Each structure stands twice: as structure tokens, then as C-alpha cells.
């Protein structure tokens, strides 16, 4: 199988910089660099095969395999994809609600990752599914998938990707708000981590949620949400903590007669492209069930 390389011109190396230390200093992840060591030919210096501890000099050209990983070993499933955007580095799809993003014991053969693998494996035989933003099963919206390690390494840096969510919440808001409360995993009665999260003022991981009121309805509201940190269930936990749980969220709120699942969508994504460094903006319309809520 032909290897696809990316060329990196060495600029301002430190004294005794190796390929490893130079790439590490310039933001390449330890996991990616580890995979480059797997096979001779994954790294070249000035078009010659070399090892990762080779010294570099100004204007040397390092060529690295963009996909040194082993193919993702999950079940490939045939599920149609609603593709929002695609190029050589990025695939963006519109995930419907009730489709899990990742495989699990209960969704081993039915999930978005398996559908993406099925779509990509004929194009890239050793394709690795790299999800940038994982949406909860009940949430819908744009999911970014990177086609190679370098794109994934770049887009997983928080400053390179901005996600905008919309949600319908119980009750009415009177103003915009910022929820700045740590989030931690709840421990169940047997001492194990549960699926549920909660807020805390003394422990847990930092999380900040920006909530902008879009419109109030009779007994619920539409809000626009952006995040810092992006913790598991962050939007659901934070909105519930201020007594405005998302409609249909039975884990942090209650069952709703208006919608059969959590009313949350990742509607807009803006990212810096890992190759062109240009800004890419993606947006999708509300699904029909959200449009119905927006017209009440």
C-alpha cells in the first residue's frame, strides 16, 4: 500500500534537535510520534529513510507518513451518511439523534464510527476513525472526523475548532448567562463510575458554558450554547444545574411530551483547516422535530 507523506521544512531548530524533539516541540502528539517508529520508511529526512532520533538542521525536509496507525478494529456497519463536508483531510457528517457516535457493548454493530469506517475503508484500507467531537446518542448535529493523524492532532487542539450548539430547555430565561462550574463523574452504590455527571465547587474538571437566550416560548426556551473544555454531558449537566434541563433529557431532567429525546443539536462548526490554515464554517438546518418546537 502506497504511503502518503507530508513534508515539513525545519526552521529554527534547537541545538542537537532530533526529528522526534523537533516534531514534539512543534505540536505533534506523543501517540503520533510513537506510531512513526513502527516501520522503517514511515519517516524520511531529505528523501532518505531514517529513524526518529536522526539529528536535523536548518532547511532539512522531514517527510512523515500521515497515516502510520493500524486500521480501527471495530465492526463496519452499513448506515447511510449525511455528508456535510469532505476533502482529503476532513469528513463532516450530520449525525441523527438516537445513533451512538462510538461503539459500545449495547451498540456494537450500530454506531456512527462503524458507518464511517464502512464508507472510508475502500478509500483508505488502513483507515482509523478519529472523531473530533463526540455527540451523545440522543443529540444530533455535525460530527467532525479526521482522515489522518496529522489532521486529528491539529483539530483536537481546542483553539482550532469552535462548536455552536442549540438546545430547547425547560422554563424561560430572562438573560444570557455563563455557567462556570466543575464537572465530575458520579459514583454509584457499588463504588464504580456511573454514566451520570454532576457539578462541584471543590473537585472535578473545569468546565465553562456560555448560554445565549434565542427565544422564550410558553414554558420552554431556545438557547445558543458555546463551550470551553467540552466535558462529557457538559451542556446537559450545566443547564440542569440552573434548573433549566434540556427538553427530553431523562437523565438530568424528565420525559417530555414535546420531543422523544434530548433536544440538543451541534448546529454549527468553525475550524481552521489543518492543511490550508483557512477558516471553514459549516452549518446545518434544524431537523423537523426541532422546527416544530421552534414554531410553538
Amino acid at each position: 500500500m502506497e504511503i502518503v507523506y507530508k513534508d515539513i521544512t525545519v526552521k529554527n531548530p534547537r541545538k542537537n534537535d532530533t526529528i522526534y524533539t523537533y516534531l514534539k516541540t512543534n505540536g505533534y502528539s506523543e501517540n503520533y510520534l510513537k506510531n512513526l517508529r513502527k516501520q522503517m520508511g514511515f519517516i524520511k529526512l531529505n528523501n532518505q529513510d531514517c529513524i526518529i532520533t536522526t539529528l536535523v538542521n536548518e532547511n532539512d525536509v522531514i517527510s512523515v507518513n500521515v497515516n502510520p496507525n493500524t486500521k480501527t478494529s471495530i465492526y463496519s456497519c452499513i448506515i447511510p451518511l449525511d455528508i456535510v463536508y469532505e476533502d482529503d483531510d476532513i469528513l463532516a457528517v450530520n449525525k441523527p439523534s438516537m445513533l451512538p457516535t462510538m461503539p459500545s457493548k449495547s451498540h456494537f454493530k450500530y454506531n456512527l464510527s462503524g458507518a464511517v469506517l464502512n464508507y472510508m475503508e475502500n478509500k483508505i484500507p488502513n483507515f482509523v476513525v478519529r472523531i473530533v467531537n463526540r455527540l451523545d446518542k440522543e443529540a444530533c448535529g455535525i460530527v467532525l472526523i479526521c482522515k489522518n493523524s496529522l489532521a486529528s492532532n491539529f483539530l483536537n487542539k481546542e483553539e482550532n475548532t469552535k462548536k455552536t450548539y442549540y438546545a430547547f430547555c425547560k422554563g424561560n430565561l430572562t438573560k444570557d448567562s455563563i455557567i462556570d462550574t466543575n464537572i465530575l463523574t458520579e459514583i454509584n452504590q457499588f463504588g464504580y463510575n456511573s454514566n451520570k455527571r454532576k457539578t462541584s465547587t471543590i473537585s472535578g474538571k473545569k468546565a465553562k458554558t456560555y448560554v445565549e437566550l434565542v427565544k422564550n416560548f410558553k414554558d420552554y426556551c431556545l438557547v445558543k450554547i458555546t463551550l470551553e473544555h467540552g466535558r462529557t454531558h457538559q451542556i446537559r449537566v450545566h443547564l440542569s444545574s440552573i434548573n433549566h434541563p434540556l427538553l427530553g433529557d431523562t437523565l438530568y431532567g424528565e420525559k417530555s411530551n414535546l420531543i422523544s429525546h434530548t433536544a440538543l443539536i451541534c448546529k454549527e462548526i468553525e475550524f481552521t483547516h489543518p492543511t490550508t490554515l483557512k477558516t471553514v464554517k459549516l452549518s446545518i438546518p434544524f431537523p423537523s422535530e426541532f422546527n416544530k418546537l421552534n414554531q410553538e
Side-chain angles (χ1 to χ4, degrees), residues 13-283:
R14 299 170 303 181
K15 184 179 180 180
N16 297 323
D17 249 349
T18 63
I19 292 174
Y20 170 81
T21 57
Y22 182 80
L23 294 178
K24 183 73 172 177
T25 302
N26 284 275
Y28 290 83
S29 70
E30 182 65 36
N31 184 61
Y32 174 69
L33 296 175
K34 179 181 177 181
N35 284 315
L36 284 179
R37 298 187 181 97
K38 288 181 177 179
Q39 183 176 314
M40 182 61 73
F42 279 8
I43 315 167
K44 295 177 182 289
L45 186 66
N46 301 323
N47 210 33
Q48 298 295 316
D49 289 351
C50 63
I51 58 176
I52 203 166
T53 54
T54 303
L55 292 172
V56 296
N57 297 298
E58 183 75 14
N59 294 321
D60 278 348
V61 177
I62 304 169
S63 301
V64 292
N65 182 353
V66 300
N67 256 328
N69 305 66
T70 304
K71 178 182 176 181
T72 298
S73 57
I74 62 173
Y75 188 87
S76 175
C77 49
I78 302 174
I79 302 172
L81 295 177
D82 181 2
I83 297 174
V84 179
Y85 175 90
E86 184 176 12
D87 62 24
D88 290 341
D89 296 299
I90 306 295
L91 175 67
V93 301
N94 181 8
K95 185 190 88 68
S97 60
M98 306 314 295
L99 176 66
T101 301
M102 306 297 293
S104 64
K105 289 182 179 179
S106 55
H107 303 289
F108 182 69
K109 295 184 178 181
Y110 183 78
N111 54 77
L112 181 66
S113 294
V116 170
L117 182 62
N118 177 73
Y119 175 75
M120 287 299 306
E121 58 190 352
N122 290 330
K123 301 180 181 183
I124 304 177
N126 67 326
F127 184 73
V128 177
V129 181
R130 302 177 179 89
I131 305 289
V132 176
N133 59 313
R134 299 183 183 184
L135 295 180
D136 294 340
K137 173 186 172 182
E138 295 193 14
C140 59
I142 304 173
V143 175
L144 283 184
I145 303 101
C146 292
K147 292 185 177 181
N148 57 67
S149 293
L150 296 182
S152 177
N153 184 69
F154 184 83
L155 286 182
N156 274 293
K157 295 176 181 177
E158 193 170 309
E159 65 271 19
N160 291 331
T161 308
K162 178 183 177 182
K163 301 169 282 290
T164 302
Y165 302 83
Y166 286 79
F168 289 92
C169 304
K170 184 178 179 180
N172 286 169
L173 291 174
T174 57
K175 61 180 181 179
D176 300 343
S177 62
I178 299 174
I179 308 171
D180 188 1
T181 317
N182 290 4
I183 292 176
L184 74 161
T185 303
E186 286 193 6
I187 305 300
N188 64 25
Q189 59 181 327
F190 304 107
Y192 297 109
N193 289 348
S194 72
N195 182 48
K196 196 172 183 180
R197 292 349 187 235
K198 63 182 179 180
T199 58
S200 173
T201 57
I202 57 174
S203 61
K205 296 180 179 179
K206 291 183 178 180
K208 185 180 288 187
T209 302
Y210 299 86
V211 182
E212 178 184 335
L213 175 63
V214 177
K215 187 177 180 181
N216 276 320
F217 298 90
K218 182 179 179 182
D219 52 8
Y220 62 90
C221 61
L222 173 62
V223 294
K224 178 180 177 180
I225 300 165
T226 53
L227 305 176
E228 285 186 27
H229 309 106
R231 308 302 183 191
T232 299
H233 296 181
Q234 181 171 328
I235 294 173
R236 300 164 65 189
V237 174
H238 270 174
L239 269 295
S240 179
S241 73
I242 61 169
N243 298 316
H244 292 284
L246 275 58
L247 292 184
D249 186 356
T250 56
L251 187 60
Y252 298 101
E254 59 187 15
K255 186 176 180 179
S256 173
N257 293 325
L258 299 173
I259 190 168
S260 62
H261 58 82
T262 304
L264 175 65
I265 181 173
C266 181
K267 194 174 187 300
E268 301 162 5
I269 284 187
E270 179 180 318
F271 62 90
T272 303
H273 196 280
T275 299
T276 66
L277 300 183
K278 293 182 178 179
T279 300
V280 179
K281 296 181 179 180
L282 306 177
S283 181

